[in-house]
Amino acid sequence: MARTQSDAEFHQLRTPRAAAVAGVVFGVLFASSIVLLRSALPGAAATPWLHHQRQITAALILAPFAGIAFLWFIGVIRDRLGDLEDRFFSTVFLGSGLLFLAMTFVSTAIAGGLLAVSRLSGVPQNDLVFFGREVMLHVNNVYGVRMAGVFMISLGTIWLVRTGLMPRWLAVSTYLLSLTLLVVVSFSLWVTLVFPAWVMVISVYILAVDRPPSIPPD
């Protein structure tokens, strides 16, 4: 019996730390993948890109692992909420997170297709690559970034209004950043990097505080 209780306490202590590690891994891998892709793809239709194949290949390798880490982050955040989880906001939180992840994979798959096309001869590569780059930017910075904003604002609402699991300053900062991502339309690399940076901050906070979930009031 004592061993069972010890195992439960160990699991309770390790779960928030696992969430922090997963969030940090996602932030590093996702940011690295985005930076590699954005620096490798040409900015104009006439710009060659064949000498950047290794960068794109590295980004394609990192992206799936970033997605796996993000799923772990979502899973342990939900586990941390426990009985305090609100069905409405949790549905929006989970759905927007999965949509963000799906759009990220679609964008990366487009980059993989462009890399394959670049190795073929007799194909108008410059125009095709430029078209693919614009599709990637719209998927990432128009749709993906907005799903990230919805993910953040729903989670911020859960923290601030429903549970109080996070400090007010962190929840308010989450609101402000999420509204920025929802309103601003920009293809800037820095806008794309806001979300992984936020995930890393949340993860580092959980890792530093490492407190058990709140107990719902009677």
Side-chain angles (χ1 to χ4, degrees):
M1 182 68 180
R3 183 177 180 180
T4 303
Q5 184 178 1
S6 177
D7 291 343
E9 291 175 355
F10 175 79
H11 172 73
Q12 193 176 42
L13 289 174
R14 292 300 296 174
T15 298
R17 193 166 292 271
V21 172
V24 171
V25 170
F26 163 75
V28 172
L29 294 183
F30 180 78
S32 300
S33 176
I34 290 295
V35 170
L36 286 171
L37 283 178
R38 293 288 293 271
S39 61
L41 292 178
T47 305
W49 75 318
L50 294 181
H51 56 285
H52 293 304
Q53 287 191 13
R54 290 185 178 180
Q55 284 183 236
I56 298 175
T57 301
L60 296 179
I61 294 173
L62 294 178
F65 293 102
I68 294 170
F70 185 64
L71 286 176
W72 275 94
F73 177 77
I74 292 177
V76 188
I77 286 292
R78 292 193 66 199
D79 180 70
R80 186 174 174 83
L81 292 173
D83 295 334
L84 301 177
E85 187 176 36
D86 181 275
R87 290 184 179 181
F88 175 79
F89 288 105
S90 293
T91 300
V92 178
F93 154 71
L94 180 60
S96 58
L98 294 178
L99 281 173
F100 165 79
L101 190 59
M103 291 176 186
T104 299
F105 283 166
V106 168
S107 176
T108 308
I110 293 174
L114 294 177
L115 181 62
V117 168
S118 71
R119 295 168 177 167
L120 301 176
S121 58
V123 178
Q125 296 178 6
N126 289 337
D127 294 339
L128 185 60
V129 168
F130 184 73
F131 170 78
R133 174 183 177 274
E134 292 301 308
V135 173
M136 287 179 58
L137 288 177
H138 279 78
V139 171
N140 279 330
N141 287 60
V142 176
Y143 298 99
V145 163
R146 277 165 174 72
M147 286 300 100
V150 173
F151 180 90
M152 293 168 63
I153 200 170
S154 58
L155 194 54
T157 302
I158 293 173
W159 289 337
L160 185 63
V161 180
R162 300 290 179 174
T163 65
L165 287 174
M166 290 290 181
R168 181 174 293 272
W169 67 267
L170 193 53
V172 172
S173 299
T174 297
Y175 265 109
L176 295 177
L177 288 175
S178 63
L179 290 175
T180 301
L181 294 183
L182 287 172
V183 173
V184 173
V185 179
S186 173
F187 288 162
S188 170
L189 174 63
W190 298 108
V191 173
T192 312
L193 295 179
V194 168
F195 184 63
W198 172 82
V199 172
M200 291 184 67
V201 170
I202 298 299
S203 302
V204 170
Y205 176 82
I206 295 175
L207 182 61
V209 176
D210 199 19
R211 63 183 182 183
S214 300
I215 301 174
D218 295 332

